[in-house]
């Protein structure tokens, strides 16, 4: 999951601004008796401001998909931040960088510029990294990060030569607002894109499922059962109606659905197919864990794929499908095991395989879930495993 910038960056920014406000009130309104409060305010302001660029670097690296601890950028910035902290601590014991008089008056020392060099270098490193990795960022992300980096950088350069101005504090605050706005816009656009993509994938999967051959066979079965076994025909009609209704409802759904809804959909489909294949299709359910949600049209298409490639009317052995659910510490696991021909003979280049690929995409898109398929240990049959992480 993406680490929210709001949780780390903005609390530090608020602490930075608050420290500056305390310093200004103590310096301009409380007088020399509050020199210690002013001293603490200046120290905290400098300390919190130094954390902003490294925190932003962590966010940038995460957007780029890099391992933060192994990143050269992070190591260099950690080194520069350490140098800054050493300078800040040394400053408390010398008047070469900045100092306060007994009258609560603030002065810069001849080496004041040294304190601004590490933040400036960290900023340049981030700018260079963004330019180098620009292909992995969206346009809104590039704008957001560059606005925050360039405005404070300009303020640092100005404050090096303009004594007494609060350029860095003001510039950092304004730049942070712009950055936050750009990132919110980017997040909103990404959510819209994901919903549109998910809607397309669901529609494609549903269309692939609604095979004319399956509908024709079912209606033919019902036709003959009306004369041979009217009660059974009535049940098959109800199951087929449930199957169609669940399909249409799934297309309209925008969010995750309870597992029991998807299970009813699957059971309705299997009930229809068992009328056609009778003792050639055996079904086992072991689903004690049902208190979770998953994307619609996830379980049923996998089971349908198993039936299509697993039932062989000329083979005396029936197809057995077992559906189980378990809960572990990370989430929910659904297992669909069949005794069919296995993956090597499952027709991977046709439409059902496309539906499987769409299921994988929707699982990743909607809940960071996964779908894996493998042959059973005896090389006959397939085991499909769906993992839904805890939400």
């Amino acid at each position: 999951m993406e680490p929210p910038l709001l949780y780390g960056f903005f609390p530090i920014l608020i602490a930075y601004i608050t420290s500056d406000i305390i310093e200004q009130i103590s310096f301009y309104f409380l007088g020399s008796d509050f020199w210690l409060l002013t001293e603490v305010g200046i120290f905290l302001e400098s300390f919190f401001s130094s954390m902003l660029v490294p925190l932003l670097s962590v966010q940038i690296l995460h957007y780029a998909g890099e391992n933060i601890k192994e990143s050269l950028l992070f190591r260099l910035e950690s080194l520069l931040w350490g140098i800054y902290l050493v300078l800040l601590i040394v400053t408390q014991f010398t008047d070469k960088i900045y100092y306060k008089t007994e009258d609560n008056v603030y002065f810069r020392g001849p080496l004041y510029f040294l304190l601004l060099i590490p933040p400036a270098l960290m900023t340049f490193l981030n700018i260079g990294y963004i330019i180098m990795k620009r292909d992995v960022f969206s346009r809104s992300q590039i704008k957001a990060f560059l606005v925050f980096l360039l405005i404070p950088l300009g303020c640092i350069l100005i404050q090096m030569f303009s004594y007494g101005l609060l350029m860095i504090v003001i510039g950092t605050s304004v730049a942070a607002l712009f950055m936050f706005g750009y990132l919110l816009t980017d997040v909103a656009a990404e959510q819209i894109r994901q919903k549109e993509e998910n809607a397309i994938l669901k529609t494609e999967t549903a269309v692939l499922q609604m095979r004319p051959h399956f509908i024709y066979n079912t209606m033919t079965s019902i036709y003959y059962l009306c004369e041979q076994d009217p009660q059974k025909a009535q049940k098959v009609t109800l199951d087929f109606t449930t199957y169609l209704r669940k399909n249409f409802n799934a297309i309209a759904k925008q969010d995750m659905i309870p597992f029991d809804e998807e299970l009813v959909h699957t059971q309705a489909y299997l009930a229809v197919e068992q009328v056609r294949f009778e003792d050639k299709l055996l079904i086992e359910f072991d689903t004690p864990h049902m208190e979770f949600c998953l994307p619609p049209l996830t379980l049923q298409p996998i089971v349908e794929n198993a039936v299509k490639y697993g039932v062989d009317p000329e083979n005396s052995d029936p197809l057995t499908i077992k559906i189980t659910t378990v809960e572990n510490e990370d989430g929910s696991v659904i297992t669909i095991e069949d005794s069919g021909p296995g993956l090597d003979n499952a027709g991977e280049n046709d439409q059902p395989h496309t539906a499987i690929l769409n299921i994988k995409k929707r699982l990743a898109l909607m809940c960071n879930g996964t779908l894996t398929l493998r042959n059973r240990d005896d090389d006959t049959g397939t085991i499909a495993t769906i993992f839904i992480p805890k939400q």
Side-chain angles (χ1 to χ4, degrees), residues 205-206 208-211 214-215 218 236-250 264-270 272 297 300-301 304:
T205 302
L208 289 170
Q209 282 183 269
M210 298 297 293
R211 293 179 286 113
F214 168 67
I215 297 174
T218 302
V236 175
T237 302
L238 180 60
D239 290 331
F240 187 55
T241 302
T242 301
Y243 165 78
L244 292 175
R245 176 168 51 82
K246 290 295 183 180
N247 254 29
F248 296 140
N249 288 344
V264 169
H265 188 189
T266 304
Q267 289 170 333
Y269 165 75
L270 289 171
V272 172
L297 293 174
Q300 192 276 329
E304 182 172 341

mmCIF file of all heavy atoms in Angstrom, residues 205-206 208-211 214-215 218 236-250 264-270 272 297 300-301 304:
data_model
loop_
_atom_site.group_PDB
_atom_site.id
_atom_site.type_symbol
_atom_site.label_atom_id
_atom_site.label_comp_id
_atom_site.label_asym_id
_atom_site.label_seq_id
_atom_site.Cartn_x
_atom_site.Cartn_y
_atom_site.Cartn_z
ATOM 1 N N THR A 205 -15.437 -9.900 -18.980
ATOM 2 C CA THR A 205 -15.556 -11.219 -18.361
ATOM 3 C C THR A 205 -16.982 -11.737 -18.458
ATOM 4 O O THR A 205 -17.210 -12.914 -18.763
ATOM 5 C CB THR A 205 -15.134 -11.150 -16.883
ATOM 6 O OG1 THR A 205 -13.797 -10.666 -16.804
ATOM 7 C CG2 THR A 205 -15.207 -12.516 -16.227
ATOM 8 N N ALA A 206 -17.954 -10.855 -18.213
ATOM 9 C CA ALA A 206 -19.354 -11.273 -18.277
ATOM 10 C C ALA A 206 -19.755 -11.676 -19.692
ATOM 11 O O ALA A 206 -20.452 -12.674 -19.898
ATOM 12 C CB ALA A 206 -20.247 -10.138 -17.780
ATOM 13 N N LEU A 208 -17.751 -12.822 -21.996
ATOM 14 C CA LEU A 208 -17.105 -14.098 -22.286
ATOM 15 C C LEU A 208 -17.872 -15.265 -21.665
ATOM 16 O O LEU A 208 -17.918 -16.364 -22.216
ATOM 17 C CB LEU A 208 -15.667 -14.084 -21.763
ATOM 18 C CG LEU A 208 -14.693 -13.182 -22.536
ATOM 19 C CD1 LEU A 208 -13.381 -13.070 -21.775
ATOM 20 C CD2 LEU A 208 -14.444 -13.733 -23.930
ATOM 21 N N GLN A 209 -18.460 -15.002 -20.490
ATOM 22 C CA GLN A 209 -19.187 -16.073 -19.812
ATOM 23 C C GLN A 209 -20.490 -16.415 -20.516
ATOM 24 O O GLN A 209 -20.914 -17.559 -20.525
ATOM 25 C CB GLN A 209 -19.517 -15.650 -18.380
ATOM 26 C CG GLN A 209 -18.357 -15.760 -17.424
ATOM 27 C CD GLN A 209 -18.847 -15.374 -16.059
ATOM 28 O OE1 GLN A 209 -18.778 -14.217 -15.685
ATOM 29 N NE2 GLN A 209 -19.349 -16.333 -15.334
ATOM 30 N N MET A 210 -21.166 -15.397 -21.034
ATOM 31 C CA MET A 210 -22.490 -15.618 -21.614
ATOM 32 C C MET A 210 -22.341 -16.296 -22.976
ATOM 33 O O MET A 210 -22.632 -15.738 -24.026
ATOM 34 C CB MET A 210 -23.230 -14.285 -21.735
ATOM 35 C CG MET A 210 -23.477 -13.606 -20.403
ATOM 36 S SD MET A 210 -24.540 -14.603 -19.330
ATOM 37 C CE MET A 210 -26.067 -14.521 -20.237
ATOM 38 N N ARG A 211 -21.873 -17.533 -22.934
ATOM 39 C CA ARG A 211 -21.618 -18.264 -24.162
ATOM 40 C C ARG A 211 -22.940 -18.758 -24.749
ATOM 41 O O ARG A 211 -23.732 -19.428 -24.069
ATOM 42 C CB ARG A 211 -20.689 -19.445 -23.888
ATOM 43 C CG ARG A 211 -19.281 -19.026 -23.481
ATOM 44 C CD ARG A 211 -18.396 -20.222 -23.203
ATOM 45 N NE ARG A 211 -18.735 -20.864 -21.921
ATOM 46 C CZ ARG A 211 -19.257 -22.068 -21.821
ATOM 47 N NH1 ARG A 211 -19.529 -22.760 -22.907
ATOM 48 N NH2 ARG A 211 -19.525 -22.586 -20.637
ATOM 49 N N PHE A 214 -23.638 -22.440 -24.165
ATOM 50 C CA PHE A 214 -24.121 -22.815 -22.833
ATOM 51 C C PHE A 214 -25.611 -22.504 -22.696
ATOM 52 O O PHE A 214 -26.397 -23.312 -22.182
ATOM 53 C CB PHE A 214 -23.320 -22.068 -21.765
ATOM 54 C CG PHE A 214 -23.899 -22.139 -20.379
ATOM 55 C CD1 PHE A 214 -23.932 -23.334 -19.686
ATOM 56 C CD2 PHE A 214 -24.443 -21.007 -19.783
ATOM 57 C CE1 PHE A 214 -24.476 -23.416 -18.415
ATOM 58 C CE2 PHE A 214 -24.983 -21.073 -18.510
ATOM 59 C CZ PHE A 214 -24.999 -22.270 -17.833
ATOM 60 N N ILE A 215 -26.032 -21.327 -23.163
ATOM 61 C CA ILE A 215 -27.442 -20.949 -23.063
ATOM 62 C C ILE A 215 -28.308 -21.893 -23.895
ATOM 63 O O ILE A 215 -29.381 -22.346 -23.455
ATOM 64 C CB ILE A 215 -27.630 -19.487 -23.525
ATOM 65 C CG1 ILE A 215 -26.863 -18.539 -22.587
ATOM 66 C CG2 ILE A 215 -29.103 -19.110 -23.557
ATOM 67 C CD1 ILE A 215 -26.876 -17.102 -23.033
ATOM 68 N N THR A 218 -28.616 -25.261 -22.155
ATOM 69 C CA THR A 218 -29.488 -25.192 -20.982
ATOM 70 C C THR A 218 -30.952 -25.134 -21.388
ATOM 71 O O THR A 218 -31.802 -25.846 -20.815
ATOM 72 C CB THR A 218 -29.135 -23.938 -20.148
ATOM 73 O OG1 THR A 218 -27.758 -23.994 -19.765
ATOM 74 C CG2 THR A 218 -29.999 -23.859 -18.902
ATOM 75 N N VAL A 236 -34.451 -26.418 -12.593
ATOM 76 C CA VAL A 236 -33.387 -25.959 -13.481
ATOM 77 C C VAL A 236 -33.682 -24.552 -13.982
ATOM 78 O O VAL A 236 -32.779 -23.706 -14.082
ATOM 79 C CB VAL A 236 -33.219 -26.930 -14.677
ATOM 80 C CG1 VAL A 236 -32.197 -26.380 -15.677
ATOM 81 C CG2 VAL A 236 -32.786 -28.293 -14.196
ATOM 82 N N THR A 237 -34.942 -24.289 -14.279
ATOM 83 C CA THR A 237 -35.318 -22.941 -14.728
ATOM 84 C C THR A 237 -35.005 -21.907 -13.649
ATOM 85 O O THR A 237 -34.487 -20.819 -13.943
ATOM 86 C CB THR A 237 -36.813 -22.896 -15.084
ATOM 87 O OG1 THR A 237 -37.101 -23.855 -16.099
ATOM 88 C CG2 THR A 237 -37.204 -21.506 -15.571
ATOM 89 N N LEU A 238 -35.311 -22.267 -12.386
ATOM 90 C CA LEU A 238 -35.020 -21.343 -11.288
ATOM 91 C C LEU A 238 -33.515 -21.142 -11.142
ATOM 92 O O LEU A 238 -33.047 -20.002 -10.958
ATOM 93 C CB LEU A 238 -35.620 -21.894 -9.991
ATOM 94 C CG LEU A 238 -35.399 -21.033 -8.733
ATOM 95 C CD1 LEU A 238 -36.027 -19.646 -8.914
ATOM 96 C CD2 LEU A 238 -35.967 -21.722 -7.504
ATOM 97 N N ASP A 239 -32.736 -22.226 -11.224
ATOM 98 C CA ASP A 239 -31.277 -22.103 -11.118
ATOM 99 C C ASP A 239 -30.708 -21.269 -12.258
ATOM 100 O O ASP A 239 -29.814 -20.436 -12.055
ATOM 101 C CB ASP A 239 -30.629 -23.497 -11.128
ATOM 102 C CG ASP A 239 -30.907 -24.283 -9.863
ATOM 103 O OD1 ASP A 239 -31.080 -23.633 -8.806
ATOM 104 O OD2 ASP A 239 -30.940 -25.526 -9.918
ATOM 105 N N PHE A 240 -31.211 -21.493 -13.472
ATOM 106 C CA PHE A 240 -30.731 -20.743 -14.618
ATOM 107 C C PHE A 240 -31.088 -19.265 -14.483
ATOM 108 O O PHE A 240 -30.294 -18.369 -14.829
ATOM 109 C CB PHE A 240 -31.328 -21.325 -15.901
ATOM 110 C CG PHE A 240 -30.762 -20.717 -17.150
ATOM 111 C CD1 PHE A 240 -29.395 -20.704 -17.382
ATOM 112 C CD2 PHE A 240 -31.612 -20.165 -18.097
ATOM 113 C CE1 PHE A 240 -28.879 -20.149 -18.549
ATOM 114 C CE2 PHE A 240 -31.098 -19.615 -19.258
ATOM 115 C CZ PHE A 240 -29.728 -19.597 -19.489
ATOM 116 N N THR A 241 -32.262 -18.988 -13.973
ATOM 117 C CA THR A 241 -32.677 -17.602 -13.742
ATOM 118 C C THR A 241 -31.768 -16.938 -12.705
ATOM 119 O O THR A 241 -31.372 -15.770 -12.864
ATOM 120 C CB THR A 241 -34.142 -17.549 -13.271
ATOM 121 O OG1 THR A 241 -34.981 -18.163 -14.244
ATOM 122 C CG2 THR A 241 -34.589 -16.106 -13.067
ATOM 123 N N THR A 242 -31.450 -17.687 -11.637
ATOM 124 C CA THR A 242 -30.542 -17.154 -10.615
ATOM 125 C C THR A 242 -29.176 -16.852 -11.211
ATOM 126 O O THR A 242 -28.562 -15.819 -10.933
ATOM 127 C CB THR A 242 -30.399 -18.154 -9.455
ATOM 128 O OG1 THR A 242 -31.672 -18.403 -8.877
ATOM 129 C CG2 THR A 242 -29.444 -17.610 -8.390
ATOM 130 N N TYR A 243 -28.707 -17.777 -12.045
ATOM 131 C CA TYR A 243 -27.406 -17.574 -12.697
ATOM 132 C C TYR A 243 -27.411 -16.305 -13.543
ATOM 133 O O TYR A 243 -26.494 -15.479 -13.463
ATOM 134 C CB TYR A 243 -27.082 -18.792 -13.554
ATOM 135 C CG TYR A 243 -25.974 -18.564 -14.547
ATOM 136 C CD1 TYR A 243 -24.645 -18.571 -14.150
ATOM 137 C CD2 TYR A 243 -26.262 -18.315 -15.899
ATOM 138 C CE1 TYR A 243 -23.621 -18.346 -15.066
ATOM 139 C CE2 TYR A 243 -25.247 -18.092 -16.816
ATOM 140 C CZ TYR A 243 -23.932 -18.105 -16.391
ATOM 141 O OH TYR A 243 -22.932 -17.872 -17.293
ATOM 142 N N LEU A 244 -28.443 -16.118 -14.367
ATOM 143 C CA LEU A 244 -28.514 -14.937 -15.229
ATOM 144 C C LEU A 244 -28.619 -13.657 -14.405
ATOM 145 O O LEU A 244 -27.961 -12.651 -14.695
ATOM 146 C CB LEU A 244 -29.708 -15.054 -16.172
ATOM 147 C CG LEU A 244 -29.627 -16.144 -17.252
ATOM 148 C CD1 LEU A 244 -30.940 -16.203 -18.022
ATOM 149 C CD2 LEU A 244 -28.464 -15.884 -18.197
ATOM 150 N N ARG A 245 -29.450 -13.702 -13.352
ATOM 151 C CA ARG A 245 -29.630 -12.510 -12.524
ATOM 152 C C ARG A 245 -28.324 -12.119 -11.847
ATOM 153 O O ARG A 245 -27.969 -10.937 -11.780
ATOM 154 C CB ARG A 245 -30.716 -12.770 -11.472
ATOM 155 C CG ARG A 245 -30.922 -11.626 -10.481
ATOM 156 C CD ARG A 245 -32.206 -11.838 -9.683
ATOM 157 N NE ARG A 245 -32.264 -13.152 -9.101
ATOM 158 C CZ ARG A 245 -31.665 -13.494 -7.957
ATOM 159 N NH1 ARG A 245 -30.934 -12.599 -7.292
ATOM 160 N NH2 ARG A 245 -31.793 -14.709 -7.462
ATOM 161 N N LYS A 246 -27.586 -13.103 -11.323
ATOM 162 C CA LYS A 246 -26.303 -12.810 -10.683
ATOM 163 C C LYS A 246 -25.302 -12.247 -11.693
ATOM 164 O O LYS A 246 -24.502 -11.369 -11.366
ATOM 165 C CB LYS A 246 -25.750 -14.074 -10.029
ATOM 166 C CG LYS A 246 -26.527 -14.547 -8.805
ATOM 167 C CD LYS A 246 -26.440 -13.534 -7.677
ATOM 168 C CE LYS A 246 -27.140 -14.037 -6.438
ATOM 169 N NZ LYS A 246 -27.065 -13.050 -5.313
ATOM 170 N N ASN A 247 -25.333 -12.752 -12.923
ATOM 171 C CA ASN A 247 -24.444 -12.227 -13.947
ATOM 172 C C ASN A 247 -24.721 -10.750 -14.216
ATOM 173 O O ASN A 247 -23.819 -9.912 -14.254
ATOM 174 C CB ASN A 247 -24.610 -13.023 -15.240
ATOM 175 C CG ASN A 247 -23.436 -13.943 -15.499
ATOM 176 O OD1 ASN A 247 -22.797 -14.396 -14.549
ATOM 177 N ND2 ASN A 247 -23.138 -14.211 -16.743
ATOM 178 N N PHE A 248 -26.005 -10.431 -14.401
ATOM 179 C CA PHE A 248 -26.364 -9.045 -14.700
ATOM 180 C C PHE A 248 -26.089 -8.124 -13.510
ATOM 181 O O PHE A 248 -25.637 -6.983 -13.683
ATOM 182 C CB PHE A 248 -27.844 -8.959 -15.096
ATOM 183 C CG PHE A 248 -28.163 -9.703 -16.365
ATOM 184 C CD1 PHE A 248 -29.330 -10.444 -16.483
ATOM 185 C CD2 PHE A 248 -27.286 -9.672 -17.440
ATOM 186 C CE1 PHE A 248 -29.616 -11.137 -17.650
ATOM 187 C CE2 PHE A 248 -27.562 -10.357 -18.614
ATOM 188 C CZ PHE A 248 -28.741 -11.093 -18.724
ATOM 189 N N ASN A 249 -26.346 -8.623 -12.303
ATOM 190 C CA ASN A 249 -26.054 -7.817 -11.113
ATOM 191 C C ASN A 249 -24.561 -7.562 -10.975
ATOM 192 O O ASN A 249 -24.132 -6.474 -10.574
ATOM 193 C CB ASN A 249 -26.571 -8.522 -9.852
ATOM 194 C CG ASN A 249 -28.081 -8.490 -9.750
ATOM 195 O OD1 ASN A 249 -28.742 -7.715 -10.437
ATOM 196 N ND2 ASN A 249 -28.641 -9.337 -8.904
ATOM 197 N N ALA A 250 -23.748 -8.571 -11.314
ATOM 198 C CA ALA A 250 -22.296 -8.424 -11.196
ATOM 199 C C ALA A 250 -21.771 -7.334 -12.127
ATOM 200 O O ALA A 250 -20.846 -6.590 -11.786
ATOM 201 C CB ALA A 250 -21.604 -9.748 -11.497
ATOM 202 N N VAL A 264 -23.427 -18.207 -4.224
ATOM 203 C CA VAL A 264 -24.762 -18.516 -4.750
ATOM 204 C C VAL A 264 -24.746 -18.507 -6.277
ATOM 205 O O VAL A 264 -25.350 -19.367 -6.935
ATOM 206 C CB VAL A 264 -25.792 -17.494 -4.213
ATOM 207 C CG1 VAL A 264 -27.120 -17.635 -4.949
ATOM 208 C CG2 VAL A 264 -26.011 -17.690 -2.716
ATOM 209 N N HIS A 265 -24.049 -17.524 -6.841
ATOM 210 C CA HIS A 265 -23.899 -17.451 -8.296
ATOM 211 C C HIS A 265 -23.250 -18.724 -8.832
ATOM 212 O O HIS A 265 -23.713 -19.325 -9.813
ATOM 213 C CB HIS A 265 -23.054 -16.219 -8.652
ATOM 214 C CG HIS A 265 -22.982 -15.935 -10.121
ATOM 215 N ND1 HIS A 265 -22.143 -14.994 -10.653
ATOM 216 C CD2 HIS A 265 -23.618 -16.487 -11.183
ATOM 217 C CE1 HIS A 265 -22.287 -14.956 -11.969
ATOM 218 N NE2 HIS A 265 -23.178 -15.853 -12.311
ATOM 219 N N THR A 266 -22.188 -19.155 -8.191
ATOM 220 C CA THR A 266 -21.466 -20.355 -8.623
ATOM 221 C C THR A 266 -22.324 -21.600 -8.467
ATOM 222 O O THR A 266 -22.347 -22.477 -9.349
ATOM 223 C CB THR A 266 -20.177 -20.495 -7.798
ATOM 224 O OG1 THR A 266 -19.398 -19.308 -7.933
ATOM 225 C CG2 THR A 266 -19.358 -21.687 -8.260
ATOM 226 N N GLN A 267 -23.036 -21.696 -7.345
ATOM 227 C CA GLN A 267 -23.881 -22.867 -7.110
ATOM 228 C C GLN A 267 -25.006 -22.959 -8.133
ATOM 229 O O GLN A 267 -25.379 -24.056 -8.575
ATOM 230 C CB GLN A 267 -24.443 -22.815 -5.696
ATOM 231 C CG GLN A 267 -23.389 -23.069 -4.620
ATOM 232 C CD GLN A 267 -23.900 -22.779 -3.212
ATOM 233 O OE1 GLN A 267 -24.802 -21.943 -3.029
ATOM 234 N NE2 GLN A 267 -23.324 -23.451 -2.228
ATOM 235 N N ALA A 268 -25.552 -21.788 -8.526
ATOM 236 C CA ALA A 268 -26.617 -21.788 -9.541
ATOM 237 C C ALA A 268 -26.085 -22.294 -10.870
ATOM 238 O O ALA A 268 -26.742 -23.087 -11.564
ATOM 239 C CB ALA A 268 -27.183 -20.377 -9.693
ATOM 240 N N TYR A 269 -24.891 -21.846 -11.225
ATOM 241 C CA TYR A 269 -24.282 -22.317 -12.478
ATOM 242 C C TYR A 269 -24.044 -23.829 -12.440
ATOM 243 O O TYR A 269 -24.374 -24.551 -13.394
ATOM 244 C CB TYR A 269 -22.964 -21.592 -12.733
ATOM 245 C CG TYR A 269 -22.114 -22.262 -13.775
ATOM 246 C CD1 TYR A 269 -22.431 -22.165 -15.124
ATOM 247 C CD2 TYR A 269 -21.018 -23.048 -13.393
ATOM 248 C CE1 TYR A 269 -21.672 -22.821 -16.087
ATOM 249 C CE2 TYR A 269 -20.258 -23.709 -14.349
ATOM 250 C CZ TYR A 269 -20.590 -23.578 -15.686
ATOM 251 O OH TYR A 269 -19.848 -24.239 -16.634
ATOM 252 N N LEU A 270 -23.481 -24.319 -11.340
ATOM 253 C CA LEU A 270 -23.172 -25.748 -11.228
ATOM 254 C C LEU A 270 -24.444 -26.596 -11.222
ATOM 255 O O LEU A 270 -24.458 -27.714 -11.770
ATOM 256 C CB LEU A 270 -22.352 -25.996 -9.966
ATOM 257 C CG LEU A 270 -20.907 -25.489 -10.008
ATOM 258 C CD1 LEU A 270 -20.257 -25.591 -8.630
ATOM 259 C CD2 LEU A 270 -20.089 -26.279 -11.025
ATOM 260 N N VAL A 272 -27.147 -25.993 -12.852
ATOM 261 C CA VAL A 272 -27.590 -26.112 -14.246
ATOM 262 C C VAL A 272 -26.739 -27.141 -14.984
ATOM 263 O O VAL A 272 -27.250 -27.993 -15.728
ATOM 264 C CB VAL A 272 -27.510 -24.737 -14.948
ATOM 265 C CG1 VAL A 272 -27.776 -24.883 -16.446
ATOM 266 C CG2 VAL A 272 -28.501 -23.763 -14.329
ATOM 267 N N LEU A 297 -17.817 -11.712 -10.063
ATOM 268 C CA LEU A 297 -17.345 -12.509 -11.195
ATOM 269 C C LEU A 297 -15.892 -12.949 -10.998
ATOM 270 O O LEU A 297 -15.042 -12.773 -11.870
ATOM 271 C CB LEU A 297 -17.486 -11.726 -12.515
ATOM 272 C CG LEU A 297 -18.924 -11.446 -12.976
ATOM 273 C CD1 LEU A 297 -18.908 -10.549 -14.196
ATOM 274 C CD2 LEU A 297 -19.655 -12.741 -13.262
ATOM 275 N N GLN A 300 -17.005 -17.770 -9.947
ATOM 276 C CA GLN A 300 -17.823 -18.480 -10.927
ATOM 277 C C GLN A 300 -17.121 -18.721 -12.266
ATOM 278 O O GLN A 300 -17.181 -19.837 -12.805
ATOM 279 C CB GLN A 300 -19.144 -17.724 -11.120
ATOM 280 C CG GLN A 300 -20.197 -18.491 -11.894
ATOM 281 C CD GLN A 300 -20.024 -18.345 -13.392
ATOM 282 O OE1 GLN A 300 -19.557 -17.303 -13.862
ATOM 283 N NE2 GLN A 300 -20.381 -19.385 -14.149
ATOM 284 N N PRO A 301 -16.433 -17.734 -12.845
ATOM 285 C CA PRO A 301 -15.761 -17.990 -14.126
ATOM 286 C C PRO A 301 -14.671 -19.062 -14.029
ATOM 287 O O PRO A 301 -14.449 -19.816 -14.987
ATOM 288 C CB PRO A 301 -15.155 -16.630 -14.501
ATOM 289 C CG PRO A 301 -15.953 -15.633 -13.733
ATOM 290 C CD PRO A 301 -16.319 -16.316 -12.461
ATOM 291 N N GLU A 304 -16.468 -22.331 -14.012
ATOM 292 C CA GLU A 304 -16.986 -22.592 -15.363
ATOM 293 C C GLU A 304 -15.872 -23.081 -16.289
ATOM 294 O O GLU A 304 -16.074 -23.975 -17.117
ATOM 295 C CB GLU A 304 -17.634 -21.329 -15.921
ATOM 296 C CG GLU A 304 -18.242 -21.524 -17.300
ATOM 297 C CD GLU A 304 -19.047 -20.329 -17.764
ATOM 298 O OE1 GLU A 304 -19.451 -19.502 -16.915
ATOM 299 O OE2 GLU A 304 -19.267 -20.231 -18.990
#
